[in-house]
Coordinates of all heavy atoms in Angstrom, one line a residue:
M1 N 13.3 -1.9 -15.8 CA 13.5 -0.5 -15.5 C 14.8 -0.4 -14.8 O 15.1 -1.2 -13.9 CB 12.4 0.0 -14.7 CG 12.6 1.4 -14.2 SD 11.2 2.0 -13.2 CE 10.7 3.3 -14.1
E2 N 15.6 0.5 -15.2 CA 16.9 0.7 -14.6 C 16.8 1.6 -13.4 O 16.0 2.5 -13.3 CB 17.9 1.5 -15.6 CG 18.3 0.6 -16.8 CD 19.1 -0.6 -16.4 OE1 19.9 -0.5 -15.6 OE2 18.8 -1.7 -17.0
P3 N 17.4 1.1 -12.2 CA 17.4 1.9 -11.1 C 18.0 3.4 -11.3 O 19.0 3.5 -12.0 CB 18.3 1.2 -10.1 CG 18.5 -0.2 -10.7 CD 18.3 -0.1 -12.2
Q4 N 17.3 4.3 -10.7 CA 17.8 5.7 -10.8 C 17.8 6.3 -9.4 O 17.0 6.0 -8.6 CB 16.9 6.5 -11.7 CG 16.8 6.1 -13.1 CD 15.8 6.8 -14.0 OE1 15.3 7.9 -13.5 NE2 15.5 6.4 -15.1
A5 N 18.8 7.1 -9.1 CA 18.8 7.8 -7.8 C 17.6 8.6 -7.6 O 17.1 9.3 -8.4 CB 20.1 8.7 -7.8
G6 N 17.1 8.4 -6.4 CA 15.9 9.2 -6.0 C 14.6 8.7 -6.5 O 13.5 9.3 -6.3
V7 N 14.6 7.5 -7.2 CA 13.3 7.0 -7.8 C 13.0 5.7 -7.1 O 13.9 4.8 -7.1 CB 13.5 6.8 -9.2 CG1 12.2 6.1 -9.8 CG2 13.8 8.1 -10.0
L8 N 11.9 5.6 -6.4 CA 11.5 4.4 -5.8 C 10.8 3.5 -6.7 O 9.8 3.9 -7.4 CB 10.5 4.7 -4.6 CG 10.0 3.6 -3.7 CD1 11.2 2.9 -3.1 CD2 9.1 4.2 -2.7
V9 N 11.2 2.3 -6.9 CA 10.6 1.3 -7.8 C 10.1 0.1 -7.0 O 10.8 -0.5 -6.2 CB 11.7 0.8 -8.8 CG1 11.1 -0.2 -9.8 CG2 12.2 2.0 -9.6
H10 N 8.8 -0.2 -7.3 CA 8.2 -1.3 -6.6 C 8.1 -2.5 -7.6 O 7.7 -2.2 -8.9 CB 6.8 -1.0 -6.1 CG 6.8 0.0 -5.0 ND1 7.1 -0.4 -3.8 CD2 6.6 1.4 -5.0 CE1 7.1 0.7 -3.0 NE2 6.8 1.8 -3.7
S11 N 8.2 -3.7 -7.3 CA 8.1 -4.8 -8.1 C 6.7 -5.0 -8.5 O 5.8 -4.5 -7.8 CB 8.6 -6.1 -7.5 OG 7.7 -6.5 -6.5
R12 N 6.4 -5.7 -9.6 CA 5.1 -6.0 -10.1 C 4.4 -6.7 -9.0 O 3.1 -6.5 -8.7 CB 5.1 -6.8 -11.4 CG 3.8 -7.1 -11.9 CD 3.8 -8.0 -13.1 NE 2.5 -8.3 -13.6 CZ 1.9 -7.9 -14.7 NH1 2.6 -7.1 -15.5 NH2 0.7 -8.2 -15.0
A13 N 5.0 -7.7 -8.3 CA 4.4 -8.5 -7.3 C 3.9 -7.6 -6.2 O 2.8 -7.7 -5.6 CB 5.3 -9.6 -6.8
D14 N 4.8 -6.6 -5.7 CA 4.4 -5.7 -4.7 C 3.2 -4.9 -5.1 O 2.3 -4.6 -4.3 CB 5.5 -4.7 -4.3 CG 6.6 -5.4 -3.6 OD1 6.4 -6.6 -3.0 OD2 7.8 -4.8 -3.5
R15 N 3.1 -4.4 -6.3 CA 2.0 -3.5 -6.8 C 0.8 -4.4 -6.9 O -0.3 -3.9 -6.4 CB 2.3 -3.0 -8.2 CG 3.4 -1.9 -8.1 CD 3.5 -1.1 -9.5 NE 3.6 -2.1 -10.7 CZ 4.7 -2.5 -11.2 NH1 5.8 -2.2 -10.7 NH2 4.6 -3.2 -12.3
E16 N 0.8 -5.6 -7.3 CA -0.4 -6.5 -7.4 C -0.9 -6.8 -6.0 O -2.1 -6.8 -5.8 CB -0.1 -7.8 -8.2 CG 0.1 -7.5 -9.7 CD 0.5 -8.7 -10.5 OE1 0.6 -9.8 -9.8 OE2 0.5 -8.6 -11.7
L17 N 0.0 -7.0 -5.1 CA -0.4 -7.3 -3.7 C -1.1 -6.1 -3.1 O -2.1 -6.2 -2.4 CB 0.8 -7.7 -2.9 CG 0.5 -8.1 -1.4 CD1 -0.4 -9.3 -1.3 CD2 1.8 -8.4 -0.7
A18 N -0.6 -4.9 -3.3 CA -1.2 -3.7 -2.9 C -2.6 -3.4 -3.5 O -3.5 -3.1 -2.7 CB -0.3 -2.5 -3.2
V19 N -2.7 -3.7 -4.7 CA -4.0 -3.5 -5.4 C -5.0 -4.6 -4.9 O -6.1 -4.3 -4.6 CB -3.9 -3.7 -7.0 CG1 -5.2 -3.8 -7.6 CG2 -3.1 -2.5 -7.5
T20 N -4.5 -5.8 -4.7 CA -5.4 -6.8 -4.1 C -5.9 -6.5 -2.8 O -7.2 -6.6 -2.5 CB -4.6 -8.2 -4.0 OG1 -4.2 -8.6 -5.3 CG2 -5.5 -9.3 -3.4
H21 N -5.1 -6.0 -1.9 CA -5.5 -5.6 -0.5 C -6.5 -4.4 -0.6 O -7.4 -4.3 0.1 CB -4.3 -5.3 0.4 CG -3.6 -6.5 0.8 ND1 -4.0 -7.4 1.8 CD2 -2.4 -7.0 0.4 CE1 -3.2 -8.3 2.0 NE2 -2.2 -8.2 1.1
W22 N -6.2 -3.5 -1.4 CA -7.1 -2.3 -1.6 C -8.4 -2.7 -2.0 O -9.4 -2.2 -1.5 CB -6.4 -1.3 -2.5 CG -7.2 0.0 -2.7 CD1 -7.4 1.0 -1.8 CD2 -7.9 0.4 -3.9 NE1 -8.2 1.9 -2.4 CE2 -8.5 1.6 -3.7 CE3 -8.0 -0.2 -5.2 CZ2 -9.2 2.2 -4.7 CZ3 -8.8 0.5 -6.1 CH2 -9.4 1.7 -5.9
L23 N -8.5 -3.5 -3.1 CA -9.8 -4.0 -3.6 C -10.6 -4.7 -2.5 O -11.8 -4.6 -2.4 CB -9.6 -4.8 -4.9 CG -9.2 -4.0 -6.1 CD1 -8.9 -5.0 -7.2 CD2 -10.3 -3.1 -6.6
L24 N -9.9 -5.6 -1.8 CA -10.6 -6.5 -0.9 C -11.1 -5.7 0.3 O -12.0 -6.2 1.0 CB -9.6 -7.6 -0.4 CG -9.4 -8.7 -1.4 CD1 -8.3 -9.7 -0.9 CD2 -10.7 -9.5 -1.7
L25 N -10.6 -4.4 0.5 CA -11.2 -3.6 1.6 C -12.7 -3.3 1.4 O -13.4 -3.1 2.3 CB -10.4 -2.3 1.6 CG -9.1 -2.4 2.2 CD1 -8.4 -1.0 2.1 CD2 -9.1 -2.8 3.7
S26 N -13.2 -3.4 0.1 CA -14.6 -3.1 -0.2 C -15.4 -4.4 -0.3 O -16.6 -4.3 -0.6 CB -14.7 -2.3 -1.4 OG -14.3 -3.1 -2.6
A27 N -14.8 -5.5 -0.1 CA -15.6 -6.8 -0.1 C -16.4 -7.0 1.2 O -15.8 -6.8 2.3 CB -14.6 -7.9 -0.3
P28 N -17.7 -7.4 1.1 CA -18.4 -7.6 2.3 C -17.8 -8.8 3.1 O -17.9 -8.8 4.3 CB -19.8 -8.0 1.8 CG -19.8 -7.8 0.3 CD -18.4 -7.6 -0.1
D29 N -17.3 -9.8 2.5 CA -16.7 -10.9 3.1 C -15.3 -11.2 2.4 O -15.2 -11.8 1.3 CB -17.6 -12.2 2.9 CG -17.0 -13.4 3.6 OD1 -15.7 -13.5 3.8 OD2 -17.8 -14.3 3.9
T30 N -14.3 -10.7 3.0 CA -12.9 -10.7 2.4 C -12.5 -12.2 2.0 O -12.0 -12.4 1.0 CB -11.9 -10.2 3.4 OG1 -12.3 -8.8 3.7 CG2 -10.5 -10.1 2.8
H31 N -12.7 -13.1 2.9 CA -12.3 -14.5 2.6 C -13.1 -15.1 1.5 O -12.5 -15.7 0.6 CB -12.6 -15.4 3.9 CG -12.3 -16.8 3.6 ND1 -10.9 -17.3 3.4 CD2 -13.0 -18.0 3.5 CE1 -11.0 -18.6 3.3 NE2 -12.2 -19.0 3.2
R32 N -14.4 -14.8 1.4 CA -15.2 -15.3 0.3 C -14.7 -14.6 -1.0 O -14.6 -15.3 -2.1 CB -16.6 -15.1 0.5 CG -17.5 -15.5 -0.6 CD -19.0 -15.3 -0.2 NE -19.8 -15.7 -1.4 CZ -21.1 -15.6 -1.4 NH1 -21.8 -15.1 -0.4 NH2 -21.8 -15.9 -2.5
A33 N -14.5 -13.3 -1.0 CA -14.1 -12.6 -2.2 C -12.8 -13.2 -2.7 O -12.6 -13.4 -3.9 CB -14.0 -11.1 -1.9
R34 N -11.8 -13.4 -1.8 CA -10.5 -13.9 -2.2 C -10.7 -15.3 -2.8 O -10.1 -15.6 -3.8 CB -9.5 -13.9 -1.0 CG -8.1 -14.4 -1.3 CD -7.2 -14.4 -0.1 NE -7.0 -13.1 0.5 CZ -6.1 -12.2 0.0 NH1 -5.4 -12.5 -1.0 NH2 -6.0 -11.1 0.6
T35 N -11.5 -16.1 -2.3 CA -11.7 -17.5 -2.8 C -12.4 -17.4 -4.2 O -11.9 -18.0 -5.1 CB -12.6 -18.3 -1.9 OG1 -11.9 -18.4 -0.6 CG2 -12.8 -19.7 -2.4
E36 N -13.4 -16.6 -4.3 CA -14.1 -16.4 -5.6 C -13.1 -15.9 -6.6 O -13.1 -16.4 -7.8 CB -15.3 -15.5 -5.5 CG -16.5 -16.1 -4.7 CD -17.6 -15.1 -4.4 OE1 -17.4 -13.9 -4.7 OE2 -18.6 -15.5 -4.0
W37 N -12.4 -14.9 -6.3 CA -11.4 -14.3 -7.2 C -10.4 -15.3 -7.7 O -10.1 -15.4 -8.8 CB -10.7 -13.2 -6.4 CG -10.0 -12.2 -7.2 CD1 -9.5 -12.3 -8.6 CD2 -9.6 -10.9 -6.8 NE1 -8.9 -11.1 -8.9 CE2 -8.9 -10.2 -7.9 CE3 -9.7 -10.1 -5.6 CZ2 -8.4 -9.0 -7.8 CZ3 -9.2 -8.9 -5.5 CH2 -8.6 -8.3 -6.6
S38 N -9.9 -16.1 -6.7 CA -8.9 -17.1 -7.2 C -9.5 -18.3 -7.9 O -8.8 -18.8 -8.9 CB -8.1 -17.6 -5.9 OG -9.0 -18.4 -5.1
E39 N -10.7 -18.6 -7.7 CA -11.4 -19.7 -8.4 C -12.0 -19.4 -9.7 O -12.0 -20.1 -10.7 CB -12.4 -20.4 -7.5 CG -11.7 -21.2 -6.4 CD -12.8 -21.8 -5.4 OE1 -14.0 -21.6 -5.6 OE2 -12.4 -22.4 -4.4
T40 N -12.6 -18.1 -9.8 CA -13.3 -17.8 -11.0 C -12.8 -16.5 -11.6 O -13.2 -16.2 -12.7 CB -14.8 -17.5 -10.6 OG1 -14.9 -16.4 -9.8 CG2 -15.4 -18.8 -10.0
G41 N -12.0 -15.8 -11.0 CA -11.5 -14.4 -11.5 C -12.5 -13.3 -11.3 O -12.3 -12.2 -11.8
I42 N -13.6 -13.6 -10.6 CA -14.6 -12.6 -10.3 C -14.9 -12.6 -8.8 O -15.0 -13.6 -8.2 CB -15.9 -13.0 -11.0 CG1 -15.7 -12.9 -12.5 CG2 -17.0 -12.0 -10.6 CD1 -16.8 -13.5 -13.4
A43 N -15.1 -11.4 -8.2 CA -15.4 -11.3 -6.8 C -16.4 -10.1 -6.7 O -16.3 -9.1 -7.4 CB -14.2 -11.0 -6.0
L44 N -17.4 -10.3 -5.8 CA -18.4 -9.3 -5.5 C -17.7 -8.2 -4.6 O -17.2 -8.5 -3.5 CB -19.6 -9.9 -4.8 CG -20.7 -8.8 -4.5 CD1 -21.3 -8.2 -5.7 CD2 -21.8 -9.6 -3.7
L45 N -17.7 -6.9 -5.1 CA -17.2 -5.8 -4.3 C -18.3 -4.8 -4.0 O -19.1 -4.5 -4.9 CB -16.0 -5.2 -4.9 CG -14.8 -6.1 -5.2 CD1 -13.7 -5.4 -6.0 CD2 -14.2 -6.7 -3.9
R46 N -18.4 -4.3 -2.9 CA -19.4 -3.3 -2.5 C -19.1 -1.9 -3.0 O -18.0 -1.5 -2.8 CB -19.5 -3.3 -1.0 CG -20.5 -2.5 -0.3 CD -20.5 -2.6 1.2 NE -19.2 -2.8 1.7 CZ -18.9 -3.7 2.7 NH1 -19.8 -4.4 3.2 NH2 -17.7 -3.8 3.1
C47 N -20.0 -1.3 -3.7 CA -19.8 0.1 -4.1 C -20.2 1.0 -2.9 O -20.9 0.7 -2.1 CB -20.6 0.4 -5.4 SG -19.9 -0.3 -6.8
G48 N -19.6 2.2 -3.0 CA -20.1 3.2 -2.0 C -18.9 3.6 -1.0 O -18.8 4.8 -0.7
G49 N -18.2 2.6 -0.5 CA -17.1 3.0 0.5 C -15.9 3.5 -0.3 O -15.6 4.7 -0.3
L50 N -15.3 2.6 -1.0 CA -14.1 3.0 -1.8 C -14.5 3.4 -3.3 O -13.8 4.1 -3.9 CB -13.1 1.9 -1.8 CG -12.4 1.6 -0.5 CD1 -11.5 0.4 -0.6 CD2 -11.7 2.7 0.0
F51 N -15.6 2.8 -3.7 CA -16.0 3.0 -5.1 C -17.5 3.5 -5.1 O -18.3 3.0 -4.4 CB -16.1 1.6 -5.8 CG -14.9 0.8 -5.8 CD1 -14.7 -0.3 -4.9 CD2 -13.7 1.2 -6.5 CE1 -13.6 -1.0 -4.8 CE2 -12.6 0.4 -6.4 CZ -12.5 -0.6 -5.6
T52 N -17.7 4.6 -5.8 CA -19.1 5.0 -6.1 C -19.6 4.6 -7.4 O -20.7 4.5 -7.7 CB -19.2 6.6 -6.0 OG1 -18.3 7.2 -6.9 CG2 -18.9 7.0 -4.6
A53 N -18.6 4.3 -8.3 CA -18.9 3.8 -9.6 C -17.7 3.1 -10.2 O -16.6 3.5 -9.8 CB -19.4 4.9 -10.6
V54 N -17.9 2.1 -11.0 CA -16.8 1.5 -11.7 C -17.1 1.6 -13.2 O -18.1 1.3 -13.7 CB -16.8 0.0 -11.3 CG1 -15.6 -0.7 -12.0 CG2 -16.6 -0.1 -9.8
R55 N -16.1 2.1 -13.9 CA -16.2 2.2 -15.3 C -15.3 1.2 -16.0 O -14.1 1.2 -15.8 CB -15.8 3.6 -15.8 CG -15.9 3.8 -17.2 CD -15.6 5.3 -17.6 NE -15.7 5.4 -19.0 CZ -15.2 6.4 -19.7 NH1 -14.8 7.4 -19.1 NH2 -15.4 6.5 -20.9
L56 N -15.8 0.4 -16.9 CA -15.1 -0.6 -17.6 C -15.4 -0.4 -19.1 O -16.5 -0.1 -19.4 CB -15.5 -2.0 -17.2 CG -15.4 -2.3 -15.8 CD1 -16.0 -3.7 -15.5 CD2 -13.9 -2.4 -15.3
S57 N -14.5 -0.7 -20.0 CA -14.7 -0.6 -21.4 C -15.7 -1.7 -21.8 O -15.7 -2.7 -21.2 CB -13.4 -0.7 -22.2 OG -12.9 -2.0 -22.1
A58 N -16.5 -1.4 -22.8 CA -17.4 -2.4 -23.4 C -16.6 -3.7 -23.8 O -17.1 -4.8 -23.5 CB -18.2 -1.8 -24.5
A59 N -15.5 -3.5 -24.4 CA -14.7 -4.7 -24.9 C -14.3 -5.5 -23.7 O -14.4 -6.8 -23.8 CB -13.5 -4.1 -25.6
L60 N -14.0 -5.0 -22.6 CA -13.6 -5.7 -21.4 C -14.8 -6.5 -20.8 O -14.7 -7.7 -20.5 CB -13.0 -4.8 -20.3 CG -12.5 -5.5 -19.0 CD1 -11.5 -6.5 -19.3 CD2 -12.0 -4.5 -18.1
V61 N -16.0 -5.8 -20.8 CA -17.1 -6.5 -20.3 C -17.6 -7.6 -21.2 O -17.9 -8.7 -20.7 CB -18.3 -5.4 -20.1 CG1 -19.6 -6.2 -19.8 CG2 -17.9 -4.4 -19.1
H62 N -17.5 -7.4 -22.5 CA -17.9 -8.4 -23.4 C -16.9 -9.6 -23.3 O -17.3 -10.8 -23.3 CB -17.9 -7.9 -24.8 CG -19.0 -6.9 -25.1 ND1 -20.2 -7.1 -24.7 CD2 -18.9 -5.7 -25.5 CE1 -21.0 -6.0 -24.9 NE2 -20.2 -5.1 -25.5
A63 N -15.6 -9.3 -23.2 CA -14.6 -10.4 -23.1 C -14.8 -11.2 -21.8 O -14.7 -12.4 -21.8 CB -13.2 -9.8 -23.1
A64 N -15.1 -10.5 -20.7 CA -15.3 -11.2 -19.4 C -16.6 -12.0 -19.4 O -16.7 -13.0 -18.7 CB -15.3 -10.1 -18.3
S65 N -17.6 -11.5 -20.1 CA -18.9 -12.3 -20.1 C -19.0 -13.3 -21.2 O -19.9 -14.0 -21.3 CB -20.1 -11.3 -20.2 OG -20.0 -10.6 -21.4
G66 N -17.9 -13.2 -22.1 CA -18.0 -14.3 -23.2 C -19.0 -13.9 -24.3 O -19.5 -14.8 -25.0
T67 N -19.4 -12.7 -24.4 CA -20.3 -12.2 -25.4 C -19.6 -11.3 -26.5 O -18.6 -10.9 -26.2 CB -21.5 -11.5 -24.8 OG1 -21.0 -10.2 -24.3 CG2 -22.2 -12.3 -23.7
D68 N -20.3 -11.1 -27.5 CA -19.7 -10.2 -28.5 C -20.4 -8.9 -28.5 O -20.2 -8.0 -29.4 CB -19.8 -10.8 -30.0 CG -21.2 -11.2 -30.4 OD1 -22.2 -10.7 -29.6 OD2 -21.4 -11.8 -31.4
G69 N -21.3 -8.6 -27.5 CA -22.0 -7.3 -27.5 C -23.2 -7.1 -28.2 O -24.0 -6.2 -28.0
R70 N -23.6 -8.1 -29.0 CA -24.9 -8.1 -29.7 C -26.0 -8.5 -28.7 O -25.8 -9.4 -27.9 CB -24.9 -9.0 -30.9 CG -23.9 -8.5 -32.0 CD -23.9 -9.4 -33.2 NE -23.2 -10.5 -32.8 CZ -22.8 -11.5 -33.6 NH1 -23.2 -11.5 -34.8 NH2 -22.1 -12.5 -33.2
P71 N -27.2 -7.9 -29.0 CA -28.3 -8.3 -28.0 C -28.6 -9.8 -28.2 O -28.5 -10.4 -29.3 CB -29.5 -7.4 -28.5 CG -28.9 -6.4 -29.4 CD -27.6 -6.9 -29.9
A72 N -29.0 -10.4 -27.1 CA -29.4 -11.8 -27.1 C -30.7 -12.0 -27.9 O -31.5 -11.1 -28.0 CB -29.7 -12.3 -25.7
P73 N -30.9 -13.1 -28.6 CA -32.1 -13.3 -29.3 C -33.3 -13.3 -28.4 O -33.2 -13.5 -27.2 CB -32.0 -14.8 -29.9 CG -30.5 -15.1 -29.8 CD -30.0 -14.2 -28.7
A74 N -34.5 -12.9 -28.9 CA -35.6 -12.7 -28.1 C -35.9 -13.9 -27.2 O -36.4 -13.8 -26.0 CB -36.9 -12.4 -28.9
A75 N -35.7 -15.1 -27.6 CA -35.9 -16.3 -26.9 C -35.1 -16.4 -25.6 O -35.4 -17.1 -24.6 CB -35.7 -17.6 -27.7
H76 N -34.0 -15.7 -25.5 CA -33.1 -15.7 -24.4 C -33.2 -14.5 -23.5 O -32.5 -14.3 -22.6 CB -31.7 -15.9 -24.8 CG -31.5 -17.2 -25.6 ND1 -31.5 -18.4 -25.0 CD2 -31.3 -17.5 -26.9 CE1 -31.4 -19.4 -25.8 NE2 -31.2 -18.9 -27.0
R77 N -34.0 -13.5 -23.9 CA -34.1 -12.3 -23.1 C -35.1 -12.5 -22.0 O -36.1 -13.2 -22.1 CB -34.6 -11.1 -24.0 CG -33.6 -10.6 -25.0 CD -34.1 -9.3 -25.6 NE -33.4 -9.2 -26.8 CZ -34.0 -8.9 -28.0 NH1 -35.3 -8.5 -28.0 NH2 -33.3 -8.7 -29.1
P78 N -34.8 -11.9 -20.8 CA -35.8 -12.0 -19.8 C -37.1 -11.2 -20.2 O -37.0 -10.3 -20.9 CB -35.1 -11.3 -18.6 CG -33.9 -10.7 -19.1 CD -33.7 -11.2 -20.5
P79 N -38.2 -11.6 -19.6 CA -39.5 -11.0 -20.0 C -39.5 -9.5 -19.5 O -38.9 -9.2 -18.5 CB -40.6 -11.7 -19.2 CG -39.9 -12.8 -18.4 CD -38.4 -12.8 -18.8
S80 N -40.1 -8.7 -20.2 CA -40.2 -7.2 -19.9 C -41.2 -6.9 -18.9 O -42.2 -7.5 -18.8 CB -40.5 -6.3 -21.1 OG -39.5 -6.7 -22.2

């Protein structure tokens, strides 16, 4: 992006750091969440304070869970 007069531009690193800090505000244990996030790419965040709901596309959920979205065979489903 070319600098323009009157336009504030933040680097990608600055934006990612800001998002990281904002997300970690909702973690019950910030240190644990940061460790889990760096080791596994997943961290437990508490809903209700900053988030009342989180909406993710099905494709993203399937990609993150390593599934293709089809129901599991009956042998692998939890009992009803």
Side-chain angles (χ1 to χ4, degrees):
M1 175 180 241
E2 293 295 319
Q4 298 176 11
V7 177
L8 182 60
V9 178
H10 295 281
S11 70
R12 179 183 179 114
D14 286 344
R15 291 191 313 269
E16 288 178 358
L17 184 61
V19 168
T20 298
H21 285 287
W22 180 70
L23 287 170
L24 286 172
L25 288 172
S26 66
D29 180 338
T30 303
H31 177 70
R32 180 177 175 181
R34 186 180 291 278
T35 301
E36 290 173 348
W37 196 341
S38 67
E39 291 176 357
T40 67
I42 299 171
L44 180 62
L45 301 177
R46 180 179 35 220
C47 287
L50 295 175
F51 308 104
T52 55
V54 178
R55 181 178 179 190
L56 304 171
S57 71
L60 179 61
V61 172
H62 297 309
S65 66
T67 66
D68 60 9
R70 292 180 284 187
H76 298 288
R77 284 191 207 136
S80 308

